Each structure stands twice: as structure tokens, then as C-alpha cells.
Amino acid sequence: MHPALVPDDVVRLLADRGHAVGAAVGTDGAWWVAQPVGDDAGTPVEVQVVRVPADDRLRHLAGLLRGVEHPHLARVLDVVPLDAGRVAVLVEHVPGPTLAELRAARPPLTDGEAVTVAVPVAEALGALHAAGLAHAAVAADRVVVRPDGFPVLVDVRGALTGSGSPDGDVRRLVATVLGVLAPVEAQLAAGLPDLVRLRPALEDVARAAVPTAQDLVAAAFAAASPQPVHIPAPEALAGAQVALAGGRSLPRAPAGAPPARRERRPRRGRRVPVVVAVGLVLVAGGVLVMRPTLAERGDAGPGVVPASASPVASTTGPLPTDLQEEVLAAAVDLTRRRAEALAAASPGALDDVHVPGSPALARDLELLDRLAGARSEGLAVQVASVVPAGGTGDGDRVVAVRSSVAAHTRVATSGERTPVAETGERTVELVLRRTDQGWRVWDVREPAGPS
């Protein structure tokens, strides 16, 4: 990292302790890995800077934080006031990819892998809570998975702001774990309803009035047995790091070449009908107006059952009306086309749904690998609503899509037929990116839980 990008007071602090900044961590510009300098080799440390006044309250919280020791919580070495109302937190450096990088480089975690991550992190939160602290930032980019599969909760700055709460931490951890699991409809479409156990167990924890870390531990262990976490090859992790950082290299995982482009598989000749209802309510700004459905406009596409006239919202908010309606309509259309591709077990068709190299495409290709050519006859996705859910720093648009999957039949290549039960309505967030070919799906994620 260029020295000019590191604040002078951080440089001085590290020099006094025999270290120099080696690289930035994350994307907030206030978190660095520092390497030892000089002949006496030391160990790397991390510097996390937070804007908080150096008063008695900070000294109290810092004392509590330094007193918390847990194997799955990054060890705090010191808390030092800086200039301009900022504080530096020196913690041990934990090597390895973050959970976000891990997920971007590989298929969804199994229930057993997720338990291996969730339980230790919940126990680390329990240690913080017992000390009268809250983490306040439990997210996939705040959990590092060491090369040996050992998860560690990092970035302890939130504990010094006093802005979090123990039950908020638990709900954030539930949302984080749900975000690295396969979507439930994917498991059901694959004919694996018996494997959908961890998700509802964690959702029950989040719905509790005041969930505790121990509640999460008990629910996770009751739902699935721990399994070792699979760590992808270094080149796959390197590609995921670049994608997540918007081109900035992150130093936690080994660097390597980007993953090779996956060859497109041939399209299957048979088209499996997929029913997707498109007469739905598009909600934005609370103003509803009558507009033609997608089918009535003539662009519903094959296999779509048109609905009678249905209310579609005029779209007000951060985007111009026409563009907002375009994004919402794209979310419906891409939901339909994704269902068609999965039902037909067609990797090639997914190229018309997802952004090349995106996390969503990687997950769906892995799902098709697990399906081993099996098709889904009668797969009907009923979209109940699409709601604008903001944007991202990369200019992508986020749409909350609430839908359900009707009962259908999974047909293996051997001809064996397996009934798959219907699912209740569920909401996912589509992260849509504008490309030369129109809007495409970059990611499919769980909505953030309440804090």
C-alpha cells in the first residue's frame, strides 16, 4: 500500500512498535495489516481505526475488551488514542480468507460446514456479551476462516462504540450464516428436503424476543453435525478477493492467478415448461397504479402464465420512475429465466441470467452439478412481490423478491421420478447489474435480519 494513503499518526504508532503497514484490509480505509521491520523478526499485527472520543467511557470499554480472551475472537493487544478523535485498536493478525471471500470462491456451505463456523463465532460473541460488550458488526467480512478451517471473529471496533446489543449480534450472525447457505428452493428443487434443517432452526432463533448466543449454539447443534470447512484453492480465493474488493487486493489469503473461465456446457435439447406468475405488485414509494402485466405487454416469454390486470407500482425513490420500473421488471424476468434454466438443467441458459464470473452463477452451476442432469417437471415459481431494496457501492441495484415454489417432480437421467413438495413464500434479495445485454444477476442473498 502506498505510504501516502496511511494516516501519519498510524504510521508513527506502528514505527514506535517496530512495524510498518504492509497492506490494507477491507474497503473502509481504516484497517491495515502491519509487518515487523528490522532484524528482530516479530509477528504481523492489524490496526483497526475507529472514530470515538478518548474519554472515560472509552477507557472503560477498552479495559473490558482487552480482558476478553477467546480462541475464536481476534486477540486485542492494545487500544491507543490517535489524533482527531480517533482510536487505534491493535489486534493479532489472523491469516486466511474472510467468510465473504470464501463464499464468493466456492459453492454454498453445507449445513455441517455452517455449524462449524456459526457455533465458535457464537461462543466468541457469548464471551463478549458476558463481559458487557457487543460486537455490533457481525458480518461475513468480519469472520476469518484460517487455512485449517478455524473461524475467528475479527474487527472488534464496534465494541468500543457501544452501539450494538447482544441480541442484535445474534441476529446479525444468523443473517450472516443464512447468507452462506444454499437457498432453500435450490435444495428443494434438488429433491433434498431432508437437508433443509439448519435454516429454519436459525430463523427460529432470530425470531425470538431476545435471542442469545447460547440459543444459537443449541439450535445449530440440534440441526446438524459439524463438518470440516472446505477451503478453495488459492487461485480461486484470489479471484474472489478481487471481485469483492472492486479491484483492491486483500492480503488475508494467498495471492494467485484468477480462476480459469468455466467452459459453457451444451444446451439440452428438451425445454421443460416453467410456470412463473407475473401479475404481481411492484411496491415502491407506496403509490400503486394500474399498469399492464409483463405478459400483457407481450414480453412475458415462453412458459409464462399471464395474470389478469394487476396493480404495479409507480416507482418513486432514488431512481427515476422509468428506470426503477425497468429494474423491477428485470427482477421478475430474471427470476423466470433462472427457474427455467434450473428446471431444464441447462448451464448454457444460466449465461443469459447471470453476470459472467458472478457468485450467483458459480452457485447455480454447482447446483446443476449436484443435480447430475436431473430435470424438474412442473416447476412453478409464483412471484408475490418485488420491492426496491437500494443499491450497492458498485452501482448495482438490489430488489427484494418474494416468491414460492409449487410442488413438482424431479426426473433423474435414469428416469427415476421424485416428488418435491411446495414451499411457502420466501424473500431473497437479487443484486442486479446492468450489462451490455441488459440487467443480469450478480448475486442472490438473504435479506439482512433485524438488529
Side-chain angles (χ1 to χ4, degrees):
M1 182 175 195
H2 196 283
L5 300 179
V6 184
D8 289 341
D9 49 5
V10 174
V11 173
R12 292 194 301 269
L13 171 66
L14 291 172
D16 290 344
R17 296 169 185 250
H19 285 73
V21 169
V25 176
T27 58
D28 67 357
W31 188 358
W32 300 271
V33 172
Q35 302 292 341
V37 295
D39 296 334
D40 296 331
T43 58
V45 298
E46 295 186 16
V47 184
Q48 304 168 3
V49 176
V50 58
R51 187 172 295 281
V52 61
D55 54 15
D56 289 342
R57 182 170 183 268
L58 172 67
R59 283 186 283 274
H60 173 68
L61 294 175
L64 296 177
L65 182 59
R66 294 186 63 179
V68 178
E69 292 196 11
H70 192 278
H72 296 280
L73 180 71
R75 186 165 62 94
V76 177
L77 306 174
D78 205 354
V79 178
V80 183
L82 297 173
D83 299 338
R86 292 151 47 250
V87 173
V89 188
L90 299 175
V91 301
E92 65 174 342
H93 172 57
V94 182
T98 66
L99 188 59
E101 293 163 4
L102 193 69
R103 179 61 192 87
R106 52 154 287 175
L109 273 64
T110 66
D111 278 10
E113 289 177 306
V115 169
T116 297
V117 172
V119 168
V121 173
E123 291 175 338
L125 288 175
L128 280 172
H129 300 164
L133 298 168
H135 188 271
V138 187
D141 59 349
R142 267 44 173 202
V143 177
V144 171
V145 181
R146 295 188 331 201
D148 59 2
F150 192 92
V152 180
L153 181 62
V154 298
D155 189 6
V156 296
R157 291 175 289 184
L160 297 179
T161 66
S163 59
S165 66
D167 58 303
D169 282 353
V170 174
R171 291 192 174 94
R172 287 186 179 94
L173 179 55
V174 168
T176 294
V177 175
L178 293 179
V180 298
L181 291 173
V184 67
E185 66 267 20
Q187 292 177 301
L188 295 174
L192 303 173
D194 57 318
L195 297 185
V196 186
R197 296 190 301 268
L198 182 60
R199 181 180 295 276
L202 295 183
E203 290 174 343
D204 284 346
V205 171
R207 281 192 289 266
V210 186
T212 67
Q214 189 54 45
D215 292 338
L216 193 156
V217 170
F221 274 141
S225 299
Q227 295 176 335
V229 178
H230 169 67
I231 308 295
E235 58 269 19
L237 285 170
Q241 289 173 318
V242 172
L244 288 173
R248 292 179 60 187
S249 176
L250 302 181
R252 290 196 180 279
R261 185 181 185 275
R262 183 164 184 154
E263 292 298 322
R264 178 183 291 208
R265 302 181 187 179
R267 297 176 184 264
R268 296 185 180 273
R270 181 176 178 183
R271 182 183 181 88
V272 180
V274 179
V275 180
V276 181
V278 296
L280 51 100
V281 182
L282 306 187
V283 183
V287 181
L288 301 182
V289 298
M290 296 299 296
R291 294 185 183 272
T293 63
L294 296 177
E296 290 170 331
R297 292 207 308 263
D299 54 358
V304 177
V305 175
S308 58
S310 92
V312 179
S314 65
T315 50
T316 60
L319 286 178
T321 299
D322 291 346
L323 181 55
Q324 185 114 290
E325 289 191 356
E326 176 186 314
V327 172
L328 296 176
V332 177
D333 183 54
L334 291 166
T335 297
R336 170 185 64 81
R337 286 194 273 151
R338 177 176 180 262
E340 285 185 334
L342 293 176
S346 174
L350 289 173
D351 291 344
D352 298 328
V353 176
H354 298 304
V355 178
S358 65
L361 178 59
R363 287 196 294 269
D364 278 352
L365 289 174
E366 176 62 23
L367 171 59
L368 290 185
D369 284 344
R370 296 202 304 271
L371 285 171
R375 298 175 287 103
S376 298
E377 288 188 355
L379 177 64
V381 178
Q382 174 76 37
V383 179
S385 66
V386 286
V387 181
T392 72
D394 296 324
D396 300 335
R397 304 307 304 177
V398 182
V399 179
V401 180
R402 186 165 186 79
S403 63
S404 60
V405 179
H408 54 281
T409 301
R410 180 187 176 202
V411 184
T413 54
S414 64
E416 180 182 359
R417 302 173 69 84
T418 304
V420 180
E422 66 179 346
T423 70
E425 286 189 355
R426 176 173 168 272
T427 300
V428 298
E429 289 183 345
L430 296 187
V431 181
L432 303 184
R433 178 166 298 179
R434 191 169 224 166
T435 71
D436 292 340
Q437 291 74 43
W439 292 96
R440 293 292 184 266
V441 179
W442 172 256
D443 203 1
V444 182
R445 66 193 191 189
E446 292 290 327
S451 56

